[in-house]
Amino acid sequence: MIKKLVFLFLFFLPMLFFGQETDDYTLEVIKHNQGTVTDLIINEDSNELFSADSEGNILVYSSENYKYLKSLNLDASDKIYKIRFVNKNEDLLINYYNLAYKNGKQLIQKNGGKLCLYNIKKDTIYKTFKGNYKITNANGEPLITIAKDDVNLILFDKASFTKIDSITTQNRALSSTISFDTKLITTIETAKNNEEKALTIYDVAAKKSIYNLDFKNPKKMLSAVLFEKESLLYLTSNPKEKDSEFNRIQLKDFSVENLGNNDFYTDNANTTIIANNKEKLLI
């Protein structure tokens, strides 16, 4: 049986970190693997783009011309949530979904799953951490943040994959971003009703929240967050109008600046943002 192909749309948004201003977007379309794309990361050392999907596949492309290069040797029965480079880019950290079954039907547990370390050179998984783990931040950031059992947010060093610090969030952490100096973490959290979302900024050393912004308006649903040098970028989505709004919070006084709307839709708290050299957003 021929499986349906999924197309991957890459929106490149030049950022304002260095003072430039733009309203232009460029779009690349990649003929992708059979499952829904769940994550993609770029290895700048090898100029390769690694793309994971819901069918348990990880495909490798050239990040220069997006030509297909190879597939990794994995058990395709496991559903992949996120992937990250660790141990000086020698290993790939793979975050799977925990799976459950009801009446013979497979269900995906959204609170995370096991972590596996895959050696790229040997093309094999050599270590597994069982539990409810969920990678929550973008690949381009200085540390990896992993939520354990929803509210325990652990910070890991990329080069050695060792624990640096941890905080306890107020509610279930959906996604996060860490500041350039690693002193602040911002999370998208959900209330118990799984409908209302909140943006919360934490001081890592003090292990407490210093700013909170609730999103109760159904026309402005919080979708994604990313630290800039002296500010925080966040996106909201309007499901009915299928558009998104960019906003910026200045960290010195927490004032909010509206940057305008865009005619593409970012899914509620599931948007993937990857910072490429902190000059571009890959959404």
Side-chain angles (χ1 to χ4, degrees):
M1 181 178 67
I2 299 176
K3 295 184 178 180
K4 182 175 68 174
L5 292 174
V6 178
F7 291 86
L8 176 64
F9 295 87
L10 306 181
F11 291 89
F12 291 91
L13 171 62
M15 290 299 296
L16 306 180
F17 293 109
F18 306 104
Q20 65 268 36
E21 296 183 3
T22 179
D23 295 321
D24 297 330
Y25 296 87
T26 59
L27 175 65
E28 297 283 351
V29 182
I30 298 176
K31 189 176 182 181
H32 201 66
N33 27 347
Q34 291 86 359
T36 301
V37 176
T38 56
D39 198 16
L40 53 90
I41 58 177
I42 296 175
N43 185 337
E44 295 180 1
D45 295 332
S46 62
N47 292 321
E48 292 177 327
L49 186 151
F50 286 63
S51 177
D53 68 26
S54 60
E55 296 299 319
N57 304 302
I58 296 179
L59 301 189
V60 183
Y61 297 85
S62 166
S63 62
E64 296 178 326
N65 56 24
Y66 304 110
K67 299 296 184 183
Y68 169 79
L69 300 176
K70 62 182 178 180
S71 299
L72 302 191
N73 181 29
L74 300 171
D75 182 357
S77 63
D78 292 334
K79 311 300 183 184
I80 298 173
Y81 176 62
K82 296 290 183 183
I83 53 176
R84 293 291 180 266
F85 293 116
V86 294
N87 296 331
K88 298 179 180 179
N89 288 352
E90 294 179 359
D91 294 336
L92 192 65
L93 179 66
I94 306 174
N95 189 185
Y96 289 94
Y97 284 115
N98 278 337
L99 300 179
Y101 295 86
K102 184 177 182 180
N103 299 324
K105 185 178 180 181
Q106 188 181 81
L107 304 174
I108 294 178
Q109 303 299 306
K110 294 295 186 179
N111 60 338
K114 66 182 179 181
L115 294 171
C116 292
L117 285 172
Y118 167 93
N119 185 269
I120 296 174
K121 186 176 181 179
K122 296 180 179 180
D123 195 21
T124 187
I125 289 174
Y126 67 91
K127 194 170 185 178
T128 299
F129 306 87
K130 295 183 178 180
N132 296 320
Y133 298 97
K134 184 170 63 177
I135 297 172
T136 59
N137 67 323
N139 180 60
E141 299 193 328
L143 301 176
I144 300 175
T145 58
I146 300 177
K148 185 178 186 296
D149 299 324
D150 290 334
V151 297
N152 298 312
L153 204 58
I154 309 171
L155 283 67
F156 286 88
D157 176 70
K158 285 185 177 182
S160 60
F161 192 56
T162 54
K163 179 180 175 181
I164 300 297
D165 210 331
S166 65
I167 63 170
T168 300
T169 57
Q170 296 175 350
N171 296 289
R172 183 162 65 96
L174 299 176
S175 63
S176 67
T177 180
I178 189 164
S179 62
F180 283 54
D181 59 9
T182 70
K183 293 182 179 180
L184 300 176
I185 290 179
T186 297
T187 60
I188 296 178
E189 300 179 16
T190 180
K192 292 182 179 179
N193 59 14
N194 289 323
E195 294 180 0
E196 296 179 3
K197 302 293 185 296
L199 182 156
T200 305
I201 301 178
Y202 293 91
D203 182 310
V204 176
K207 298 186 184 300
K208 66 178 184 180
S209 64
I210 59 173
Y211 179 79
N212 184 270
L213 183 61
D214 292 325
F215 291 82
K216 298 181 179 182
N217 185 347
K219 294 183 179 180
K220 291 187 177 182
M221 302 178 71
L222 184 60
S223 296
V225 289
L226 184 72
F227 271 109
E228 301 173 298
K229 286 184 177 179
E230 298 178 351
S231 56
L232 177 77
L233 182 76
Y234 73 86
L235 281 71
T236 60
S237 297
N238 185 341
K240 292 185 178 180
E241 299 296 330
K242 299 295 182 182
D243 69 357
S244 299
E245 182 181 273
F246 284 79
N247 296 273
R248 174 177 286 129
I249 299 175
Q250 297 297 334
L251 297 177
K252 61 181 180 180
D253 58 5
F254 299 114
S255 60
V256 179
E257 175 189 5
N258 181 270
L259 302 178
N261 291 65
N262 302 274
D263 58 2
F264 64 89
Y265 174 64
T266 53
D267 193 16
N268 182 28
N270 289 315
T271 303
T272 298
I273 292 184
I274 298 176
N276 185 8
N277 289 330
K278 296 292 182 181
E279 294 177 357
K280 294 182 180 179
L281 278 183
L282 178 56
I283 298 176

